[in-house]
Amino acid sequence: MPLRRKVRPAGAAARRAALRWWLLSLAATGATLTAAAALLAVALHVSGSGAAPASASSGAPYRLSQPREAEELRWEQEVAPPQLASPQSRKLDGAAEKSLWLPAPARRFLPCVAPSPEYQSPAASRGYLLVHTNGGLNQMRAGISDMVAVARILNATLIIPELDKKSFWHDRSNFSDVFDEEHFISSLANDVKVEKKLPKELVKAPKSVRYFKSWSGVDYYQDEISPLWDHRQVIRAAKSDSRLANNYLPTDIQKLRCRAFFQALRFAPPIEALGKLLVERMRSFGPYIALHLRYEKDMLAFSGCTYGLSQTESEELAMIRENTTYWKVKDIDPLEQRSHGYCPLTPKEVGMFLSALGYPSSTPVYIAAGEIYGGESHMVDLQTRFPILMNKEKLASAEELRPFSQYAAQMAALDYIVSVESDVFIPSYSGNMARAVAGHRRFLGHRKTISPDRKALVRLFDKVDSGLLKEGKKLSERILDVHRKRQGSPRKRKGPVSGTKGKERFRSEEAFYENPLPDCLCQPGSPDSDDSLVSI
């Protein structure tokens, strides 16, 4: 439909669009972009992307955008001068461009999470289940979803879970600060009874506090936990992560886990609103990659990965690991960790990886991460290769981020939204965030998710560093070959690694929420399909 509004080519929006496209053109043709030019590109984009100006009053209502600024953003998206489009962008038109952004075939797999005909409404509650979650945002989300299923198995009333406030991030957020509490309660009404608080008469009553056994099945909860109701009206789960097995659970329990994780745990409305706006602003640059760059202090300290760091930085991380009591392993060989693929890719390695995959320097990249360890000193190589490097702090104004900026879980939720909605998602490490986003993208139609083979990449990058291999066609061919089948196509969840036993056997399995096939995904017309099939 043609535009019917008055366009002012000489206006601020036009100047911003023209200069932004010029900068992209420089990047695409291989010209060197100075740091100042890159910062100017970011500043121009943010100033016209709908970011609300900072209010003079700290008590001003939370607003996402102004109509005039939104119109300027649409101008940039729809009326950007075609003659300023970069030569590289034109070169990638057609098959070459499609191969970069086109997801692997989904083979008609769709969500199928409706309960079976035998599934009934919650039985009479035997007691109350209190849940203390642990870990970061996505570890807590997985734990909460497991506890929803446990409450169903136990015929318990679930009290809105308490979020972890003592982990590395010291986040003071309550459940309703991060998630849509009313939606959570209503969407699970036919599965479990959920209440916001314990009845007053039970607040100070004795409770059974238990660390539920990891990776447990239905029998454990029915035989060992259920009898606790005979002595107490309240059971408190001291931890929530990995308390259910990944596999061999009843189909209705598995589908309930998916309904909880992918549907009931919707983020709080202010987070959803800003997250969607960040997606719109990223899309104003065109198709984009969301890069979960886990090059953060907590991960590097936990994993003992110090490759590319200074002696001072390495010593700081070792001190953090030594002083964190619940991190059991203290002495770690960083070179051995890296050779086995146990370390996050460095920003420089990520840049080499994206270039080898064929993405041009004009590709917009969203950095989904907290503070990168070492800051700009470690980001310069990636920034040089991909100047259109964005994050939530660059896409949103300080005023827009102020309600969330002091809360790690809420900031992570914004990154989660932008990552799930991206054209391509690439994690530099397979942590909780990476697994959750990858699983959600599978659930939503197997969107393109490239999982780096870190062990193979480290060997190739070391050859480049030693001069045995040069960047270019040969390196690109080898990396493309390694990752041809690592782009998020449908496949059944992987079982345990052969030869592992005990907890290690369960730990080696692919996490349930990382790949909900076959439990929660099926093909229309297959025996597992049901009325919950939706169009993607």
Side-chain angles (χ1 to χ4, degrees), residues 85-135:
S86 67
Q88 183 69 25
S89 296
R90 290 195 295 270
K91 182 180 178 181
L92 289 175
D93 282 347
E97 183 177 18
K98 286 183 180 179
S99 67
L100 292 175
W101 303 106
L102 193 66
R107 304 203 326 257
R108 296 168 49 245
F109 275 99
L110 299 171
C112 48
V113 295
S116 69
E118 295 77 25
Y119 193 80
Q120 299 179 353
S121 297
S125 175
R126 294 196 61 196
Y128 295 89
L129 178 62
L130 291 178
V131 174
H132 181 88
T133 61
N134 56 293

Side-chain angles (χ1 to χ4, degrees), residues 283-297:
R283 290 208 184 284
S284 74
F285 286 122
Y288 72 93
I289 294 171
L291 170 64
H292 181 46
L293 191 59
R294 198 65 170 93
Y295 205 72
E296 299 156 312
K297 182 182 289 187

Side-chain angles (χ1 to χ4, degrees), residues 377-394:
S377 65
H378 291 307
M379 290 294 289
V380 63
D381 289 307
L382 179 58
Q383 180 81 59
T384 300
R385 289 174 182 268
F386 294 91
I388 313 302
L389 211 58
M390 309 298 289
N391 57 23
K392 51 191 173 292
E393 289 81 7
K394 292 178 181 177

Side-chain angles (χ1 to χ4, degrees), residues 236-288:
R236 181 180 181 86
K239 284 191 175 183
S240 65
D241 61 325
S242 304
R243 303 299 131 169
L244 273 179
N246 290 305
N247 305 301
Y248 307 116
L249 293 177
T251 299
D252 274 328
I253 293 297
Q254 297 288 59
K255 290 181 182 295
L256 173 56
R257 295 170 82 182
C258 286
R259 292 198 296 276
F261 191 86
F262 298 116
Q263 297 176 347
L265 280 176
R266 189 166 67 190
F267 294 119
I271 295 174
E272 286 280 336
L274 184 55
K276 290 176 181 177
L277 189 61
L278 294 179
V279 171
E280 291 175 10
R281 291 173 181 173
M282 272 310 296
R283 290 208 184 284
S284 74
F285 286 122
Y288 72 93

